[in-house]
Amino acid sequence: MQIDRVRSHFVLGTLILIYLALFWETLSRMVGVWSGDGTFQYAFFILPISVFLIYLRRTVTQGLSFHVSGYGALLVLVFSLMWAVGTIIGVQLVQQFSVIALLPALVLTVYGTSVFRALIFPLLYLFFGFPWPVAHVTTILQHITAAMSVWLLQHTGYVAYLHGVLIETEVATWHVADACSGIKFFLASLALGALYANLFYTSWRRRAAFMVAAFVVPIVANSLRVYFTVVIGEVFGVEYASGTDHLIFGWQFFGTVLVLLFGAGWFWRESPLEFATVQFPVYFGRRSSILKALPLGAVFLLCGPGMIWLSTYAAKSPATRPMINTKFDGWHVLLTQANPLGARFKRPDQVVMSTYGDGVINVNLVAVDYAGRPMHDHKLFMIGNRRYDSTQWSVQQRSHDALSGIPIPYSVHQTWLISSNAHRLMWYWYEVNGVSASGLIAVKLLQLENFVLGKPIVTRLIILSAPVRADSKSAEAALLAFTKAYWAGNHSGTAYPSQGLSG
């Protein structure tokens, strides 16, 4: 039996080595996210904690049946192909989720369902290392923190007014920035809370109650931290509530809150699970069955990366880059390299930035092409690319459905932008191989469709903007007229749906 156990461990170890070799690039990028802005720095501890929890359960796994699981092998195939889809459409979140999910799937494949159930918490705990998209959560926490802090200030005798995420007091105006939202503490509290609940509680009610506390306490604590920061600034001066002292106070405060949370939970602790007291008859499948997991798991691991490699190798021609026609009837070029909105894109295959006029009003065009399958540093949707400079322009209003009554062959997004001395109306839309896409998900689906069909992929973003004068209708009419001209210049032979158009 000991030999069979060693064989199982050998198979899993070999599969993990293959896994590391195939998905090293994705794993390294995920580690780069952990070490980036600090939001996910706690994730460096997730894998060691998971391994430690597995070690604690070593006695119970020795008494469970080991057998190769076909369900686990199927999951390996599914997550390997999911990684391939994420690679094709250039979405790192899909890739990173898949590489994390592959580890529990490999354990299930090699050891079977009994062992997987015994190890389910440490295996699922690995997902705390996934860099979840938390931008919207951060915004929500900012507003909750600002609102609770102002409520506390007003009820403790201070004059305070709330303007979004700005807190105005008699001394200064305080900005609850992204870093002040408490998102780092919130995520770390959930991860540590789940660990604490698993180690010290056995009933689901107590575990659920403690997780609710781990969810609520960091939100309340962060509001108190901002409240005390403002009070320190009001009483002793703004210089004492900012800089290094501000950071040190924040970490000390959060550390104290965690100690108090865990201390309070200690009084309701239950006897920990005695893993060593439960023993079952040891059962192993045939030795040949155990060794089957190695080629089976290896082949399924290779399916996703193999599909990417074969598609690249079998490509008959590089992705074509049809030039954007920049000559439009009724419009003439006034300026080239004109970029009034401050749009910026990294490494595009083609970019046009020009201002056109029809003798009445000017329209600026920004057209950007990315050719080929989306790559990590070569795709339209990536950090650093922007339609406008948010430090110079602020959004006054967004609209998408407002254009639904106009027969435009594009899914157009409309945004009203305002700066200190200007007001512009912006239209923008996406195209994949000339087909309009309404947004990120639609673009990714079109990219995947063209990849499966073996077609070269060209992803395009068109941004139009016009100055808003006393009558905003003139800007809308100008963009509508220019859209007609753009269609005629870049979709020859295809009729434009001109019924009811004006301008």
Side-chain angles (χ1 to χ4, degrees):
M1 293 299 179
Q2 185 63 31
I3 295 177
D4 290 333
R5 186 177 303 281
V6 172
R7 286 174 182 267
S8 297
H9 296 336
F10 169 77
V11 169
L12 180 63
T14 305
L15 288 176
I16 288 178
L17 290 177
I18 297 172
Y19 161 88
L20 292 174
L22 292 174
F23 304 105
W24 180 258
E25 185 177 1
T26 301
L27 291 168
S28 62
R29 286 176 184 163
M30 185 164 60
V31 172
V33 174
W34 295 349
S35 60
D37 62 355
T39 302
F40 298 99
Q41 284 184 346
Y42 69 91
F44 283 102
F45 298 98
I46 297 300
L47 181 59
I49 290 174
S50 181
V51 171
F52 175 70
L53 292 175
I54 291 174
Y55 174 77
L56 291 180
R57 289 159 170 79
R58 67 193 182 280
T59 52
V60 70
T61 57
Q62 291 175 358
L64 295 177
S65 62
F66 283 30
H67 61 275
V68 178
S69 171
Y71 294 112
L74 181 60
L75 286 176
V76 171
L77 175 62
V78 168
F79 290 125
S80 179
L81 294 177
M82 183 185 296
W83 175 88
V85 171
T87 303
I88 292 167
I89 62 179
V91 180
Q92 289 190 48
L93 289 176
V94 176
Q95 295 174 275
Q96 293 165 358
F97 183 89
S98 301
V99 296
I100 292 176
L102 278 169
L103 289 174
L106 288 173
V107 172
L108 176 60
T109 301
V110 176
Y111 297 120
T113 54
S114 298
V115 174
F116 181 81
R117 288 172 182 171
L119 302 179
I120 191 167
F121 178 79
L123 292 174
L124 295 183
Y125 195 76
L126 291 169
F127 285 97
F128 276 108
F130 176 65
W132 300 91
V134 293
H136 293 297
V137 178
T138 301
T139 301
I140 293 172
L141 291 178
Q142 282 179 269
H143 285 275
I144 292 176
T145 299
M148 291 184 67
S149 301
V150 168
W151 185 87
L152 289 171
L153 288 167
Q154 291 174 342
H155 284 77
T156 51
Y158 293 94
V159 178
Y161 302 95
L162 179 63
H163 304 284
V165 293
L166 297 177
I167 301 174
E168 185 179 349
T169 65
E170 293 178 324
V171 173
T173 299
W174 307 83
H175 179 211
V176 182
D178 290 357
C180 300
S181 66
I183 184 64
K184 301 176 185 178
F185 181 49
F186 178 74
L187 295 175
S189 175
L190 290 178
L192 291 174
L195 175 63
Y196 190 94
N198 180 261
L199 289 176
F200 297 106
Y201 301 120
T202 57
S203 69
W204 286 106
R205 288 185 178 181
R206 295 197 183 189
R207 286 177 175 176
F210 191 82
M211 287 306 299
V212 170
F215 183 93
V216 174
V217 167
I219 298 176
V220 176
N222 190 58
S223 301
L224 289 171
R225 181 187 67 86
V226 172
Y227 164 75
F228 287 127
T229 300
V230 175
V231 169
I232 291 172
E234 294 287 306
V235 176
F236 300 103
V238 176
E239 64 275 12
Y240 292 98
S242 58
T244 304
D245 293 339
H246 172 69
L247 296 176
I248 294 174
F249 170 70
W251 283 112
Q252 288 178 337
F253 186 80
F254 287 146
T256 303
V257 169
L258 280 178
V259 170
L260 293 176
L261 174 64
F262 295 153
W266 184 259
F267 292 102
W268 286 274
R269 70 188 185 280
E270 297 171 298
S271 298
L273 290 174
E274 295 294 341
F275 298 114
T277 62
V278 183
Q279 295 292 334
F280 297 92
V282 178
Y283 168 77
F284 287 92
R286 296 190 304 269
R287 294 183 181 183
S288 59
S289 299
I290 296 172
L291 293 178
K292 281 182 182 179
L294 181 55
L296 187 65
V299 169
F300 284 174
L301 278 174
L302 282 164
C303 282
M307 186 172 70
I308 299 298
W309 181 82
L310 287 175
S311 65
T312 303
Y313 178 79
K316 297 180 180 179
S317 61
T320 56
R321 296 195 295 273
M323 293 298 294
I324 298 171
N325 188 351
T326 57
K327 295 181 180 179
F328 308 117
D329 292 339
W331 297 85
H332 57 279
V333 178
L334 300 177
L335 293 171
T336 58
Q337 303 301 316
N339 187 16
L341 295 181
R344 185 178 66 188
F345 299 91
K346 297 179 180 179
R347 300 178 60 192
D349 291 286
Q350 183 186 186
V351 61
V352 174
M353 295 183 178
S354 300
T355 297
Y356 296 80
D358 66 349
V360 179
I361 193 171
N362 298 338
V363 171
N364 179 255
L365 165 69
V366 176
V368 184
D369 275 1
Y370 283 90
R373 177 171 60 82
M375 307 292 285
H376 172 64
D377 56 350
H378 181 255
K379 57 184 178 180
L380 179 59
F381 299 100
M382 64 178 175
I383 297 175
N385 286 358
R386 67 190 189 195
R387 295 183 298 272
Y388 62 91
D389 185 354
S390 59
T391 63
Q392 298 180 7
W393 297 90
S394 58
V395 176
Q396 188 179 38
Q397 183 181 352
R398 300 181 192 271
S399 176
H400 183 64
D401 298 334
L403 300 176
S404 59
I406 302 176
I408 294 177
Y410 302 111
S411 186
V412 175
H413 299 260
Q414 178 174 269
T415 306
W416 301 86
L417 296 171
I418 190 168
S419 68
S420 58
N421 57 4
H423 188 187
R424 295 185 74 88
L425 174 62
M426 176 179 69
W427 283 8
Y428 67 93
W429 66 84
Y430 305 99
E431 299 177 24
V432 178
N433 288 1
V435 179
S436 176
S438 59
L440 172 63
I441 295 178
V443 168
K444 296 303 179 183
L445 290 176
L446 284 171
Q447 289 172 340
L448 180 61
E449 176 187 348
N450 283 275
F451 178 88
V452 172
L453 296 175
K455 297 179 180 179
I457 301 172
V458 178
T459 308
R460 177 174 294 175
L461 169 64
I462 300 295
I463 306 171
L464 306 179
S465 67
V468 177
R469 300 170 182 170
D471 181 12
S472 62
K473 295 295 182 181
S474 60
E476 295 178 357
L479 295 183
L480 186 58
F482 193 89
T483 301
K484 293 173 58 179
Y486 172 84
W487 174 273
N490 288 274
H491 296 80
S492 58
T494 306
Y496 188 93
S498 59
Q499 297 87 350
L501 289 178
S502 60

